[in-house]
CSV table of all heavy atoms in Angstrom, one decimal:
chain,number,residue,atom,x,y,z
A,249,PRO,N,-23.0,-43.1,-17.2
A,249,PRO,CA,-22.3,-42.1,-18.0
A,249,PRO,C,-22.1,-42.6,-19.5
A,249,PRO,O,-22.1,-41.7,-20.3
A,249,PRO,CB,-21.0,-41.9,-17.3
A,249,PRO,CG,-21.1,-42.6,-16.0
A,249,PRO,CD,-22.2,-43.5,-16.0
A,250,THR,N,-22.0,-43.8,-19.7
A,250,THR,CA,-21.7,-44.3,-21.1
A,250,THR,C,-23.0,-44.1,-22.0
A,250,THR,O,-22.9,-44.2,-23.2
A,250,THR,CB,-21.3,-45.7,-21.1
A,250,THR,OG1,-22.3,-46.6,-20.6
A,250,THR,CG2,-19.9,-46.0,-20.4
A,251,ASP,N,-24.1,-43.9,-21.3
A,251,ASP,CA,-25.3,-43.6,-22.1
A,251,ASP,C,-25.4,-42.1,-22.6
A,251,ASP,O,-26.2,-41.8,-23.4
A,251,ASP,CB,-26.6,-43.9,-21.3
A,251,ASP,CG,-26.8,-45.4,-21.1
A,251,ASP,OD1,-26.2,-46.2,-21.9
A,251,ASP,OD2,-27.5,-45.7,-20.1
A,252,CYS,N,-24.5,-41.3,-22.1
A,252,CYS,CA,-24.5,-39.9,-22.4
A,252,CYS,C,-24.0,-39.8,-23.9
A,252,CYS,O,-23.0,-40.4,-24.3
A,252,CYS,CB,-23.5,-39.1,-21.5
A,252,CYS,SG,-23.2,-37.4,-22.1
A,253,PRO,N,-24.7,-39.1,-24.7
A,253,PRO,CA,-24.3,-39.0,-26.2
A,253,PRO,C,-23.0,-38.3,-26.4
A,253,PRO,O,-22.3,-38.5,-27.4
A,253,PRO,CB,-25.4,-38.2,-26.8
A,253,PRO,CG,-26.2,-37.6,-25.8
A,253,PRO,CD,-26.0,-38.4,-24.5
A,254,LEU,N,-22.6,-37.6,-25.3
A,254,LEU,CA,-21.2,-36.9,-25.5
A,254,LEU,C,-20.2,-37.6,-24.6
A,254,LEU,O,-19.1,-37.1,-24.5
A,254,LEU,CB,-21.4,-35.4,-25.0
A,254,LEU,CG,-22.4,-34.6,-25.8
A,254,LEU,CD1,-22.5,-33.2,-25.2
A,254,LEU,CD2,-21.9,-34.5,-27.3
A,255,HIS,N,-20.4,-38.8,-24.1
A,255,HIS,CA,-19.5,-39.5,-23.3
A,255,HIS,C,-18.1,-39.7,-24.0
A,255,HIS,O,-17.1,-39.4,-23.4
A,255,HIS,CB,-20.0,-40.9,-22.9
A,255,HIS,CG,-19.1,-41.6,-22.0
A,255,HIS,ND1,-18.9,-41.3,-20.7
A,255,HIS,CD2,-18.3,-42.7,-22.2
A,255,HIS,CE1,-18.0,-42.1,-20.1
A,255,HIS,NE2,-17.7,-43.0,-21.1
A,256,ALA,N,-18.1,-40.2,-25.2
A,256,ALA,CA,-16.8,-40.3,-25.9
A,256,ALA,C,-16.0,-39.1,-26.0
A,256,ALA,O,-14.8,-39.1,-25.8
A,256,ALA,CB,-17.1,-40.9,-27.3
A,257,SER,N,-16.7,-37.9,-26.4
A,257,SER,CA,-16.0,-36.7,-26.5
A,257,SER,C,-15.4,-36.2,-25.1
A,257,SER,O,-14.4,-35.6,-25.0
A,257,SER,CB,-16.8,-35.6,-27.2
A,257,SER,OG,-17.9,-35.3,-26.4
A,258,HIS,N,-16.3,-36.4,-24.0
A,258,HIS,CA,-15.8,-36.1,-22.7
A,258,HIS,C,-14.5,-36.9,-22.3
A,258,HIS,O,-13.6,-36.3,-21.8
A,258,HIS,CB,-16.9,-36.3,-21.7
A,258,HIS,CG,-18.0,-35.5,-21.8
A,258,HIS,ND1,-18.1,-34.1,-21.8
A,258,HIS,CD2,-19.4,-35.8,-21.8
A,258,HIS,CE1,-19.3,-33.6,-21.9
A,258,HIS,NE2,-20.1,-34.6,-22.0
A,259,MET,N,-14.6,-38.2,-22.6
A,259,MET,CA,-13.5,-39.0,-22.3
A,259,MET,C,-12.2,-38.7,-23.1
A,259,MET,O,-11.1,-38.6,-22.6
A,259,MET,CB,-13.8,-40.5,-22.5
A,259,MET,CG,-14.9,-41.0,-21.6
A,259,MET,SD,-14.6,-40.7,-19.8
A,259,MET,CE,-13.2,-41.7,-19.5
A,260,ALA,N,-12.4,-38.3,-24.4
A,260,ALA,CA,-11.3,-38.0,-25.3
A,260,ALA,C,-10.7,-36.7,-24.7
A,260,ALA,O,-9.5,-36.5,-24.8
A,260,ALA,CB,-11.7,-37.8,-26.7
A,261,ALA,N,-11.5,-35.7,-24.3
A,261,ALA,CA,-11.0,-34.5,-23.8
A,261,ALA,C,-10.2,-34.6,-22.5
A,261,ALA,O,-9.1,-34.1,-22.3
A,261,ALA,CB,-12.1,-33.5,-23.5
A,262,ALA,N,-10.7,-35.5,-21.7
A,262,ALA,CA,-10.0,-35.8,-20.4
A,262,ALA,C,-8.6,-36.5,-20.7
A,262,ALA,O,-7.6,-36.1,-20.1
A,262,ALA,CB,-10.8,-36.7,-19.5
A,263,ALA,N,-8.6,-37.4,-21.7
A,263,ALA,CA,-7.4,-38.1,-22.0
A,263,ALA,C,-6.4,-37.1,-22.6
A,263,ALA,O,-5.2,-37.1,-22.3
A,263,ALA,CB,-7.7,-39.2,-23.0
A,264,HIS,N,-6.9,-36.2,-23.5
A,264,HIS,CA,-6.1,-35.2,-24.1
A,264,HIS,C,-5.4,-34.3,-23.0
A,264,HIS,O,-4.2,-34.0,-23.1
A,264,HIS,CB,-6.8,-34.3,-25.0
A,264,HIS,CG,-6.1,-33.2,-25.7
A,264,HIS,ND1,-5.0,-33.5,-26.6
A,264,HIS,CD2,-6.0,-31.9,-25.5
A,264,HIS,CE1,-4.5,-32.3,-27.0
A,264,HIS,NE2,-5.1,-31.3,-26.3
A,265,ARG,N,-6.2,-33.8,-22.0
A,265,ARG,CA,-5.7,-33.0,-21.0
A,265,ARG,C,-4.6,-33.7,-20.2
A,265,ARG,O,-3.6,-33.1,-19.8
A,265,ARG,CB,-6.9,-32.6,-20.0
A,265,ARG,CG,-6.5,-31.7,-18.9
A,265,ARG,CD,-6.4,-30.2,-19.1
A,265,ARG,NE,-7.3,-29.6,-20.1
A,265,ARG,CZ,-8.6,-29.3,-19.9
A,265,ARG,NH1,-9.2,-29.6,-18.7
A,265,ARG,NH2,-9.3,-28.8,-20.8
A,266,GLU,N,-4.8,-35.0,-19.9
A,266,GLU,CA,-3.8,-35.8,-19.2
A,266,GLU,C,-2.5,-35.9,-20.0
A,266,GLU,O,-1.4,-35.8,-19.5
A,266,GLU,CB,-4.3,-37.2,-18.9
A,266,GLU,CG,-5.3,-37.3,-17.8
A,266,GLU,CD,-5.9,-38.7,-17.6
A,266,GLU,OE1,-5.3,-39.7,-18.1
A,266,GLU,OE2,-7.0,-38.8,-16.9
A,267,GLU,N,-2.6,-36.0,-21.3
A,267,GLU,CA,-1.4,-36.1,-22.2
A,267,GLU,C,-0.7,-34.7,-22.2
A,267,GLU,O,0.5,-34.7,-22.1
A,267,GLU,CB,-1.8,-36.4,-23.6
A,267,GLU,CG,-2.3,-37.9,-23.8
A,267,GLU,CD,-2.9,-38.1,-25.1
A,267,GLU,OE1,-3.0,-37.2,-26.0
A,267,GLU,OE2,-3.4,-39.3,-25.3
A,268,VAL,N,-1.4,-33.6,-22.2
A,268,VAL,CA,-0.9,-32.3,-22.2
A,268,VAL,C,-0.2,-32.1,-20.9
A,268,VAL,O,1.0,-31.6,-20.9
A,268,VAL,CB,-1.9,-31.2,-22.4
A,268,VAL,CG1,-1.4,-29.8,-22.1
A,268,VAL,CG2,-2.4,-31.2,-23.9
A,269,ASP,N,-0.8,-32.5,-19.8
A,269,ASP,CA,-0.2,-32.4,-18.4
A,269,ASP,C,1.1,-33.2,-18.4
A,269,ASP,O,2.1,-32.8,-17.8
A,269,ASP,CB,-1.1,-32.7,-17.4
A,269,ASP,CG,-2.2,-31.7,-17.1
A,269,ASP,OD1,-2.1,-30.6,-17.6
A,269,ASP,OD2,-3.1,-31.9,-16.3
A,270,ALA,N,1.1,-34.4,-18.9
A,270,ALA,CA,2.3,-35.3,-18.8
A,270,ALA,C,3.4,-34.7,-19.6
A,270,ALA,O,4.6,-34.6,-19.1
A,270,ALA,CB,1.9,-36.7,-19.4
A,271,ARG,N,3.1,-34.2,-20.8
A,271,ARG,CA,4.2,-33.5,-21.6
A,271,ARG,C,4.6,-32.3,-20.9
A,271,ARG,O,5.8,-31.9,-20.9
A,271,ARG,CB,3.7,-33.3,-23.0
A,271,ARG,CG,3.5,-34.5,-23.9
A,271,ARG,CD,3.3,-34.2,-25.3
A,271,ARG,NE,2.0,-33.4,-25.6
A,271,ARG,CZ,0.9,-33.9,-25.9
A,271,ARG,NH1,0.7,-35.2,-26.0
A,271,ARG,NH2,-0.1,-33.1,-26.1
A,272,GLY,N,3.7,-31.5,-20.3
A,272,GLY,CA,4.1,-30.3,-19.6
A,272,GLY,C,5.0,-30.6,-18.4
A,272,GLY,O,5.9,-29.8,-18.1
A,273,ASP,N,4.7,-31.7,-17.6
A,273,ASP,CA,5.6,-32.0,-16.5
A,273,ASP,C,7.0,-32.1,-17.0
A,273,ASP,O,7.9,-31.6,-16.3
A,273,ASP,CB,5.2,-33.3,-15.9
A,273,ASP,CG,3.9,-33.3,-15.1
A,273,ASP,OD1,3.3,-32.2,-14.9
A,273,ASP,OD2,3.4,-34.4,-14.7
A,274,GLY,N,7.2,-32.8,-18.1
A,274,GLY,CA,8.6,-33.0,-18.6
A,274,GLY,C,9.2,-31.7,-19.2
A,274,GLY,O,10.3,-31.4,-18.9
A,275,ALA,N,8.4,-31.0,-20.0
A,275,ALA,CA,8.9,-29.8,-20.7
A,275,ALA,C,9.2,-28.6,-19.8
A,275,ALA,O,10.1,-27.8,-20.0
A,275,ALA,CB,8.0,-29.4,-21.8
A,276,MET,N,8.3,-28.5,-18.8
A,276,MET,CA,8.4,-27.4,-17.9
A,276,MET,C,9.3,-27.7,-16.6
A,276,MET,O,9.7,-26.7,-15.9
A,276,MET,CB,7.0,-26.9,-17.4
A,276,MET,CG,6.2,-26.4,-18.5
A,276,MET,SD,4.5,-26.0,-17.9
A,276,MET,CE,3.5,-26.2,-19.4
A,277,GLY,N,9.4,-28.9,-16.3
A,277,GLY,CA,10.3,-29.3,-15.2
A,277,GLY,C,9.6,-29.3,-13.8
A,277,GLY,O,10.2,-29.3,-12.8
A,278,PHE,N,8.3,-29.3,-13.8
A,278,PHE,CA,7.5,-29.4,-12.5
A,278,PHE,C,6.1,-30.0,-12.8
A,278,PHE,O,5.7,-30.0,-13.9
A,278,PHE,CB,7.4,-28.0,-11.9
A,278,PHE,CG,6.8,-26.9,-12.8
A,278,PHE,CD1,5.5,-26.8,-12.9
A,278,PHE,CD2,7.7,-26.0,-13.5
A,278,PHE,CE1,5.0,-25.8,-13.8
A,278,PHE,CE2,7.2,-25.1,-14.3
A,278,PHE,CZ,5.8,-24.9,-14.5
A,279,SER,N,5.5,-30.5,-11.8
A,279,SER,CA,4.2,-31.1,-11.9
A,279,SER,C,3.1,-30.1,-12.1
A,279,SER,O,3.1,-29.0,-11.5
A,279,SER,CB,3.9,-31.8,-10.5
A,279,SER,OG,2.5,-32.1,-10.5
A,280,GLN,N,2.3,-30.4,-13.1
A,280,GLN,CA,1.2,-29.5,-13.4
A,280,GLN,C,0.1,-29.5,-12.3
A,280,GLN,O,-0.5,-28.5,-12.1
A,280,GLN,CB,0.5,-30.0,-14.8
A,280,GLN,CG,1.5,-30.0,-15.9
A,280,GLN,CD,2.2,-28.7,-16.1
A,280,GLN,OE1,1.7,-27.7,-16.7
A,280,GLN,NE2,3.5,-28.6,-15.8
A,281,GLU,N,0.0,-30.6,-11.6
A,281,GLU,CA,-0.9,-30.8,-10.5
A,281,GLU,C,-0.5,-29.9,-9.3
A,281,GLU,O,-1.3,-29.5,-8.4
A,281,GLU,CB,-1.1,-32.2,-10.1
A,281,GLU,CG,-1.8,-33.0,-11.1
A,281,GLU,CD,-2.0,-34.4,-10.7
A,281,GLU,OE1,-1.8,-34.7,-9.4
A,281,GLU,OE2,-2.4,-35.2,-11.5
A,282,ALA,N,0.8,-29.6,-9.2
A,282,ALA,CA,1.3,-28.9,-8.0
A,282,ALA,C,1.3,-27.3,-8.3
A,282,ALA,O,1.6,-26.5,-7.4
A,282,ALA,CB,2.8,-29.2,-7.7
A,283,THR,N,0.8,-27.0,-9.5
A,283,THR,CA,0.8,-25.6,-9.9
A,283,THR,C,-0.6,-25.1,-10.5
A,283,THR,O,-1.4,-26.0,-10.8
A,283,THR,CB,1.9,-25.3,-10.9
A,283,THR,OG1,1.6,-26.1,-12.1
A,283,THR,CG2,3.2,-25.5,-10.4
A,284,THR,N,-0.7,-23.9,-10.6
A,284,THR,CA,-1.9,-23.3,-11.2
A,284,THR,C,-1.4,-22.3,-12.3
A,284,THR,O,-0.6,-21.5,-12.1
A,284,THR,CB,-2.8,-22.5,-10.2
A,284,THR,OG1,-3.2,-23.4,-9.2
A,284,THR,CG2,-4.0,-21.8,-10.8
A,285,HIS,N,-2.0,-22.5,-13.5
A,285,HIS,CA,-1.6,-21.7,-14.7
A,285,HIS,C,-2.8,-20.8,-15.0
A,285,HIS,O,-3.9,-21.2,-14.9
A,285,HIS,CB,-1.4,-22.6,-15.9
A,285,HIS,CG,-0.2,-23.4,-15.8
A,285,HIS,ND1,-0.1,-24.5,-14.9
A,285,HIS,CD2,1.0,-23.4,-16.5
A,285,HIS,CE1,1.1,-25.1,-15.1
A,285,HIS,NE2,1.7,-24.5,-16.1
A,286,HIS,N,-2.4,-19.6,-15.4
A,286,HIS,CA,-3.4,-18.6,-15.9
A,286,HIS,C,-2.8,-18.0,-17.2
A,286,HIS,O,-1.6,-17.7,-17.3
A,286,HIS,CB,-3.7,-17.5,-14.9
A,286,HIS,CG,-4.5,-18.1,-13.8
A,286,HIS,ND1,-5.9,-18.4,-13.9
A,286,HIS,CD2,-4.2,-18.3,-12.5
A,286,HIS,CE1,-6.3,-18.8,-12.8
A,286,HIS,NE2,-5.3,-18.8,-11.9
A,287,PHE,N,-3.7,-17.8,-18.2
A,287,PHE,CA,-3.3,-17.1,-19.4
A,287,PHE,C,-4.3,-16.0,-19.7
A,287,PHE,O,-5.4,-16.3,-20.1
A,287,PHE,CB,-3.3,-18.2,-20.6
A,287,PHE,CG,-2.4,-19.4,-20.3
A,287,PHE,CD1,-2.9,-20.5,-19.7
A,287,PHE,CD2,-1.1,-19.4,-20.7
A,287,PHE,CE1,-2.1,-21.6,-19.4
A,287,PHE,CE2,-0.3,-20.4,-20.4
A,287,PHE,CZ,-0.8,-21.6,-19.8
A,288,ARG,N,-3.9,-14.8,-19.4
A,288,ARG,CA,-4.8,-13.7,-19.4
A,288,ARG,C,-4.6,-12.8,-20.6
A,288,ARG,O,-3.4,-12.3,-20.7
A,288,ARG,CB,-4.8,-12.9,-18.1
A,288,ARG,CG,-5.2,-13.7,-16.9
A,288,ARG,CD,-5.3,-12.9,-15.7
A,288,ARG,NE,-5.7,-13.7,-14.5
A,288,ARG,CZ,-4.9,-14.3,-13.7
A,288,ARG,NH1,-3.6,-14.2,-13.8
A,288,ARG,NH2,-5.4,-15.0,-12.7
A,289,ALA,N,-5.5,-12.5,-21.4
A,289,ALA,CA,-5.4,-11.5,-22.5
A,289,ALA,C,-5.5,-10.2,-21.9
A,289,ALA,O,-6.4,-9.9,-21.0
A,289,ALA,CB,-6.4,-11.8,-23.6
A,290,THR,N,-4.8,-9.2,-22.3
A,290,THR,CA,-4.9,-7.9,-21.9
A,290,THR,C,-5.0,-7.0,-23.2
A,290,THR,O,-4.8,-7.5,-24.3
A,290,THR,CB,-3.6,-7.3,-21.2
A,290,THR,OG1,-2.5,-7.4,-22.0
A,290,THR,CG2,-3.4,-8.2,-19.9
A,291,GLU,N,-5.3,-5.8,-23.1
A,291,GLU,CA,-5.5,-4.8,-24.2
A,291,GLU,C,-4.2,-4.8,-25.1
A,291,GLU,O,-4.3,-4.7,-26.2
A,291,GLU,CB,-5.9,-3.5,-23.7
A,291,GLU,CG,-6.6,-2.6,-24.7
A,291,GLU,CD,-7.1,-1.3,-24.1
A,291,GLU,OE1,-8.0,-1.5,-23.3
A,291,GLU,OE2,-6.6,-0.3,-24.4
A,292,SER,N,-3.0,-4.9,-24.4
A,292,SER,CA,-1.8,-4.8,-25.1
A,292,SER,C,-1.1,-6.1,-25.3
A,292,SER,O,0.1,-6.1,-25.6
A,292,SER,CB,-0.9,-3.7,-24.4
A,292,SER,OG,-0.6,-4.2,-23.1
A,293,GLY,N,-1.7,-7.2,-25.0
A,293,GLY,CA,-1.0,-8.5,-25.1
A,293,GLY,C,-1.6,-9.5,-24.1
A,293,GLY,O,-2.7,-9.9,-24.3
A,294,GLY,N,-0.8,-9.8,-23.1
A,294,GLY,CA,-1.3,-10.7,-22.1
A,294,GLY,C,-0.3,-11.1,-21.1
A,294,GLY,O,0.8,-10.6,-21.0
A,295,ILE,N,-0.7,-12.1,-20.3
A,295,ILE,CA,0.1,-12.5,-19.2
A,295,ILE,C,0.0,-14.0,-19.1
A,295,ILE,O,-1.0,-14.6,-19.1
A,295,ILE,CB,-0.3,-11.9,-17.8
A,295,ILE,CG1,-0.2,-10.4,-17.9
A,295,ILE,CG2,0.4,-12.5,-16.7
A,295,ILE,CD1,-0.9,-9.7,-16.7
A,296,ILE,N,1.2,-14.7,-18.9
A,296,ILE,CA,1.3,-16.1,-18.6
A,296,ILE,C,1.7,-16.1,-17.1
A,296,ILE,O,2.8,-15.6,-16.8
A,296,ILE,CB,2.3,-16.8,-19.4
A,296,ILE,CG1,2.0,-16.7,-20.9
A,296,ILE,CG2,2.5,-18.3,-19.0
A,296,ILE,CD1,3.1,-17.1,-21.9
A,297,GLU,N,0.9,-16.7,-16.3
A,297,GLU,CA,1.2,-16.8,-14.8
A,297,GLU,C,1.1,-18.2,-14.3
A,297,GLU,O,0.3,-19.0,-14.7
A,297,GLU,CB,0.1,-16.0,-14.1
A,297,GLU,CG,0.3,-16.0,-12.6
A,297,GLU,CD,-0.9,-15.3,-11.9
A,297,GLU,OE1,-1.0,-14.1,-12.1
A,297,GLU,OE2,-1.6,-16.0,-11.2
A,298,VAL,N,2.1,-18.6,-13.5
A,298,VAL,CA,2.2,-19.9,-12.9
A,298,VAL,C,2.5,-19.7,-11.4
A,298,VAL,O,3.5,-19.0,-11.1
A,298,VAL,CB,3.2,-20.9,-13.6
A,298,VAL,CG1,3.2,-22.2,-12.9
A,298,VAL,CG2,3.0,-21.0,-15.1
A,299,THR,N,1.7,-20.3,-10.6
A,299,THR,CA,1.9,-20.3,-9.1
A,299,THR,C,1.8,-21.7,-8.6
A,299,THR,O,1.2,-22.6,-9.1
A,299,THR,CB,0.8,-19.3,-8.5
A,299,THR,OG1,-0.5,-19.8,-8.8
A,299,THR,CG2,1.0,-17.9,-8.9
A,300,VAL,N,2.5,-21.8,-7.4
A,300,VAL,CA,2.4,-23.1,-6.7
A,300,VAL,C,1.2,-23.2,-5.9
A,300,VAL,O,0.7,-22.2,-5.4
A,300,VAL,CB,3.7,-23.3,-5.9
A,300,VAL,CG1,4.9,-23.3,-6.7
A,300,VAL,CG2,3.8,-22.2,-4.8
A,301,ARG,N,0.7,-24.4,-5.7
A,301,ARG,CA,-0.6,-24.6,-4.9
A,301,ARG,C,-0.2,-24.6,-3.5
A,301,ARG,O,-1.0,-24.2,-2.6
A,301,ARG,CB,-1.2,-25.9,-5.3
A,301,ARG,CG,-1.8,-25.8,-6.7
A,301,ARG,CD,-2.5,-27.2,-7.0
A,301,ARG,NE,-2.8,-27.2,-8.4
A,301,ARG,CZ,-4.1,-26.9,-8.9
A,301,ARG,NH1,-5.0,-26.3,-8.1
A,301,ARG,NH2,-4.3,-27.0,-10.2
A,302,ASP,N,1.1,-25.1,-3.1
A,302,ASP,CA,1.5,-25.2,-1.7
A,302,ASP,C,2.7,-24.2,-1.6
A,302,ASP,O,3.8,-24.4,-2.1
A,302,ASP,CB,2.0,-26.6,-1.4
A,302,ASP,CG,2.5,-26.8,-0.1
A,302,ASP,OD1,2.5,-25.9,0.7
A,302,ASP,OD2,2.9,-28.0,0.2
A,303,ALA,N,2.5,-23.1,-0.8
A,303,ALA,CA,3.5,-22.1,-0.6
A,303,ALA,C,4.8,-22.7,0.0
A,303,ALA,O,5.8,-22.1,-0.1
A,303,ALA,CB,2.9,-21.0,0.3
A,304,ALA,N,4.7,-23.9,0.7
A,304,ALA,CA,5.9,-24.4,1.3
A,304,ALA,C,6.7,-25.3,0.3
A,304,ALA,O,7.7,-25.8,0.7
A,304,ALA,CB,5.4,-25.3,2.5
A,305,ASP,N,6.2,-25.4,-0.9
A,305,ASP,CA,6.8,-26.3,-1.9
A,305,ASP,C,7.9,-25.4,-2.6
A,305,ASP,O,7.7,-25.0,-3.7
A,305,ASP,CB,5.8,-26.7,-2.9
A,305,ASP,CG,6.4,-27.8,-3.9
A,305,ASP,OD1,7.6,-28.0,-3.9
A,305,ASP,OD2,5.5,-28.4,-4.6
A,306,SER,N,9.1,-25.3,-1.9
A,306,SER,CA,10.1,-24.4,-2.4
A,306,SER,C,10.8,-25.0,-3.7
A,306,SER,O,11.2,-24.2,-4.6
A,306,SER,CB,11.1,-24.2,-1.4
A,306,SER,OG,11.7,-25.4,-1.0
A,307,ALA,N,10.8,-26.3,-3.9
A,307,ALA,CA,11.4,-26.8,-5.1
A,307,ALA,C,10.6,-26.6,-6.3
A,307,ALA,O,11.1,-26.2,-7.3
A,307,ALA,CB,11.6,-28.4,-4.9
A,308,THR,N,9.2,-26.7,-6.2
A,308,THR,CA,8.4,-26.4,-7.3
A,308,THR,C,8.4,-24.9,-7.6
A,308,THR,O,8.4,-24.4,-8.8
A,308,THR,CB,6.9,-26.9,-7.1
A,308,THR,OG1,7.0,-28.3,-6.9
A,308,THR,CG2,6.0,-26.6,-8.3
A,309,LEU,N,8.4,-24.1,-6.6
A,309,LEU,CA,8.5,-22.6,-6.7
A,309,LEU,C,9.7,-22.2,-7.5
A,309,LEU,O,9.7,-21.4,-8.5
A,309,LEU,CB,8.5,-21.9,-5.4
A,309,LEU,CG,8.6,-20.4,-5.4
A,309,LEU,CD1,7.4,-19.7,-6.2
A,309,LEU,CD2,8.6,-19.8,-4.0
A,310,ALA,N,10.9,-22.8,-7.1
A,310,ALA,CA,12.1,-22.5,-7.9
A,310,ALA,C,12.0,-23.0,-9.3
A,310,ALA,O,12.5,-22.3,-10.2
A,310,ALA,CB,13.3,-23.2,-7.2
A,311,ALA,N,11.5,-24.1,-9.5
A,311,ALA,CA,11.3,-24.6,-10.9
A,311,ALA,C,10.4,-23.8,-11.8
A,311,ALA,O,10.7,-23.5,-12.9
A,311,ALA,CB,10.8,-26.1,-10.9
A,312,VAL,N,9.3,-23.3,-11.2
A,312,VAL,CA,8.4,-22.4,-11.9
A,312,VAL,C,9.1,-21.1,-12.3
A,312,VAL,O,9.0,-20.7,-13.4
A,312,VAL,CB,7.1,-22.1,-11.0
A,312,VAL,CG1,6.3,-20.9,-11.5
A,312,VAL,CG2,6.2,-23.3,-10.9
A,313,ARG,N,9.8,-20.5,-11.3
A,313,ARG,CA,10.5,-19.3,-11.6
A,313,ARG,C,11.6,-19.5,-12.7
A,313,ARG,O,11.7,-18.7,-13.7
A,313,ARG,CB,11.1,-18.7,-10.4
A,313,ARG,CG,10.0,-18.1,-9.4
A,313,ARG,CD,10.5,-17.6,-8.2
A,313,ARG,NE,9.5,-17.0,-7.4
A,313,ARG,CZ,9.5,-16.6,-6.1
A,313,ARG,NH1,10.6,-17.0,-5.5
A,313,ARG,NH2,8.5,-16.1,-5.6
A,314,SER,N,12.3,-20.6,-12.6
A,314,SER,CA,13.3,-20.9,-13.7
A,314,SER,C,12.7,-21.1,-15.0
A,314,SER,O,13.2,-20.5,-16.0
A,314,SER,CB,14.1,-22.1,-13.2
A,314,SER,OG,15.1,-22.5,-14.2
A,315,HIS,N,11.6,-21.8,-15.0
A,315,HIS,CA,11.0,-22.1,-16.3
A,315,HIS,C,10.4,-20.7,-17.0
A,315,HIS,O,10.7,-20.5,-18.1
A,315,HIS,CB,9.7,-23.0,-16.0
A,315,HIS,CG,8.9,-23.1,-17.2
A,315,HIS,ND1,9.2,-23.7,-18.4
A,315,HIS,CD2,7.5,-22.7,-17.4
A,315,HIS,CE1,8.2,-23.6,-19.3
A,315,HIS,NE2,7.2,-23.0,-18.7
A,316,LEU,N,9.8,-19.9,-16.2
A,316,LEU,CA,9.3,-18.7,-16.8
A,316,LEU,C,10.4,-17.7,-17.2
A,316,LEU,O,10.2,-16.9,-18.1
A,316,LEU,CB,8.2,-18.0,-15.8
A,316,LEU,CG,6.9,-18.8,-15.9
A,316,LEU,CD1,5.9,-18.2,-14.9
A,316,LEU,CD2,6.3,-19.0,-17.2
A,317,GLN,N,11.5,-17.7,-16.4
A,317,GLN,CA,12.6,-16.8,-16.9
A,317,GLN,C,13.1,-17.4,-18.2
A,317,GLN,O,13.3,-16.6,-19.2
A,317,GLN,CB,13.7,-17.0,-15.9
A,317,GLN,CG,13.5,-16.2,-14.6
A,317,GLN,CD,14.6,-16.4,-13.6
A,317,GLN,OE1,15.4,-17.3,-13.7
A,317,GLN,NE2,14.6,-15.6,-12.5
Side-chain angles (χ1 to χ4, degrees):
T250 60
D251 289 339
C252 172
L254 299 176
H255 179 72
S257 64
H258 294 306
M259 296 307 293
H264 177 73
R265 179 85 36 78
E266 287 177 14
E267 292 168 2
V268 168
D269 285 350
R271 288 189 300 264
D273 288 356
M276 295 180 209
F278 53 84
S279 165
Q280 304 306 286
E281 289 183 14
T283 58
T284 301
H285 292 67
H286 289 288
F287 304 91
R288 296 184 180 98
T290 64
E291 203 171 292
S292 62
I295 297 170
I296 300 169
E297 177 186 296
V298 182
T299 55
V300 295
R301 293 181 189 270
D302 178 1
D305 187 352
S306 60
T308 300
L309 178 60
V312 163
R313 289 178 174 164
S314 175
H315 169 68
L316 287 179
Q317 285 174 348

